Amino acid sequence: MRKVSVLPPRRGEDRRSWLSGAPPPRWVRMLPPVLLVVICAATLVSHDPLDVGFLLGAVPPLAVLSYSPLATALLGGVGVVLLKVPAFQLDSPGETDLLTVAFVAALSVFVSFVRSRRDAQLDLERTVAEAAQRAVVPPLPERVGAVRLTGLYRAAQRGTLVGGDFFDVRNGPFGVRVVTGDVQGHGLSAVSTVASLLGAFREAVLDQPDLASVAGRLDRRLVVDAADARHTELFATAALLEFSADALEVRVVVCGNPPPLLLRDGGATELEVSPWTPLGLGLADAGAIETRTVALRPGDRLFLASDGVVEARDGSGAFYPLAGRLAALAAGEDGADEQDGEDGADEQDGEGGESAGLPERVWADLVRFCPDVEDDVTMLVLSPSPPTAH
């Protein structure tokens, strides 16, 4: 089954720059051969010998940036050979340039070897780190029980896949349960807390009979973790949802998190829920937490967003108006889906098409409103859709 991507969107394929470990751009790889061609062309078109042989010494160091040791040695060898070709007259000052280029080429091959070994080690460590982070926040399936879903997750810290936001959707004996939230802090320092909360949630899905008890379990997990942590004020905001088996109603508990938005009949309204304190304060008594039950209609969707979305500010300090813009963004998405419906029918397999682009549309609108989003961003779109009987 096709998986829904909930990995962090990036401005380009890799948010790292080539100076921070990303593959070098094409223009960097073109520098050594272009320099060789320019030097040779300049000497051929000049009527008088040019004292530019020393420039060949720059070719091997430039090759170190993007070429293997063997390719660096080859380019350095080409430079040495060109110094001895009579037609170019590059060795007219004597053997000094030849010795210099040969020495720089040999040194560059050594540096390229060291760089290649370090790049290989960094790639291995990055692969291991990504695998560990994906184990904490794995890609979500397109459907969980009677709920179709799609989402977007972007960690604030560059080079990471997991930050302070967390989310999960699980099917259990009491229905499909959803959690999304934000722990104290962001980046790698928050990953251990995220892993602890998600582990507690996945266990609570199986054995806690009501949603308030799930919130209580998460609260207790943070209280225990805070007792052994350096930061005594370890807490997290969260929104928890539970869909009935027929997806005709949803129960909602909000603990300091922005309430879900209900997309219905072309509008977007914030669910009226009784907010509870953030998790980790030791106050989440299952008997005191109020659960809101909302009846659902065919075509309804629930949009969940983290603090990183609703608290993003523009240059004037104004908050991003998610509730005011969501309906228009969803309407534009539906129009695009209708236009492309026939061409995309096979790819979408009849499921999830109407919501597939909404998180991306909101993200694009968000970065236009606030180009420098500094917090983790999570968006989930939940579409109740009981499987049709065959």
Side-chain angles (χ1 to χ4, degrees):
M1 179 171 60
R2 182 172 62 87
K3 298 292 184 179
V4 176
S5 174
V6 289
L7 298 179
R10 294 167 180 176
R11 302 169 187 173
E13 293 185 356
D14 199 329
R15 294 175 64 202
R16 300 173 296 163
S17 70
W18 68 277
L19 295 177
S20 303
R26 181 175 299 178
W27 66 267
V28 174
R29 295 185 60 85
M30 293 300 297
L31 283 177
V34 167
L35 183 57
L36 287 173
V37 172
V38 169
I39 292 173
C40 294
T43 57
L44 288 176
V45 301
S46 176
H47 298 291
D48 300 321
L50 298 177
D51 185 12
V52 294
F54 67 94
L55 293 178
L56 293 172
V59 173
L62 290 175
V64 168
L65 297 176
S66 55
Y67 285 89
S68 66
L70 180 60
T72 301
L74 179 61
L75 288 168
V78 170
V80 172
V81 170
L82 289 177
L83 284 172
K84 304 304 293 183
V85 175
F88 296 120
Q89 300 183 16
L90 292 173
D91 62 342
S92 55
E95 297 295 326
T96 302
D97 288 345
L98 177 64
L99 295 176
T100 300
V101 172
F103 174 77
V104 172
L107 185 60
S108 298
V109 171
F110 173 74
V111 174
S112 179
F113 174 77
V114 174
R115 179 195 58 80
S116 299
R117 293 293 297 271
R118 289 188 176 181
D119 284 353
Q121 181 63 29
L122 288 174
D123 287 343
L124 176 60
E125 292 177 358
R126 180 175 174 80
T127 300
V128 173
E130 289 187 357
Q133 293 178 79
R134 290 178 189 274
V136 175
V137 184
L140 293 176
E142 188 178 65
R143 174 188 285 273
V144 177
V147 180
R148 288 184 283 117
L149 52 113
T150 186
L152 179 149
Y153 181 48
R154 177 189 181 273
Q157 185 169 336
R158 288 182 175 272
T160 63
L161 301 178
V162 180
D165 284 3
F166 62 95
F167 61 90
D168 203 359
V169 183
R170 297 279 164 165
N171 197 1
F174 308 102
V176 175
R177 287 174 171 173
V178 182
V179 65
T180 181
D182 184 9
V183 306
Q184 179 189 28
H186 57 79
L188 294 176
S189 61
V191 173
S192 60
T193 306
V194 168
S196 181
L197 277 174
L198 289 177
F201 172 76
R202 290 161 186 170
E203 288 294 325
V205 165
L206 299 177
D207 55 31
Q208 294 300 319
D210 58 82
L211 201 58
S213 298
V214 177
R217 174 71 66 86
L218 299 183
D219 179 76
R220 186 182 68 180
R221 178 72 270 166
L222 278 184
V223 170
V224 173
D225 290 347
D228 299 326
R230 294 181 180 180
H231 303 287
T232 56
E233 297 182 353
L234 185 63
F235 66 91
T237 61
L240 297 99
L241 292 82
E242 179 182 273
F243 290 88
S244 60
D246 55 9
L248 295 180
E249 65 178 21
V250 61
R251 290 171 282 277
V252 183
V253 168
V254 173
C255 300
N257 204 70
L261 293 166
L262 175 64
L263 289 165
R264 172 183 289 173
D265 298 332
T269 57
E270 189 176 275
L271 293 183
E272 295 182 2
V273 297
S274 298
W276 192 249
T277 59
L279 303 173
L281 303 182
L283 302 176
D285 180 3
I289 298 177
E290 182 176 343
T291 302
R292 169 74 189 279
T293 301
V294 178
L296 298 174
R297 306 173 187 172
D300 285 352
R301 288 180 287 173
L302 293 169
F303 188 93
L304 288 81
S306 64
D307 294 339
V309 178
V310 297
E311 294 182 359
R313 298 172 182 253
D314 63 6
S316 65
F319 290 106
Y320 177 67
L322 174 63
R325 298 195 182 193
L326 185 60
L329 292 170
E333 168 205 50
D334 292 339
D337 287 335
E338 290 178 5
Q339 181 178 359
D340 299 334
E342 294 183 1
D343 294 337
D346 293 336
E347 180 181 351
Q348 295 295 340
D349 294 330
E351 295 185 2
E354 73 276 6
S355 298
L358 183 55
E360 288 77 9
R361 283 176 174 268
V362 176
W363 170 253
D365 188 58
L366 177 65
V367 295
R368 284 192 296 268
F369 181 87
C370 176
D372 189 17
V373 180
E374 297 181 351
D375 200 359
D376 302 308
V377 168
T378 300
M379 289 178 269
L380 290 179
V381 180
L382 309 171
S383 304
S385 177
T388 57
H390 295 285

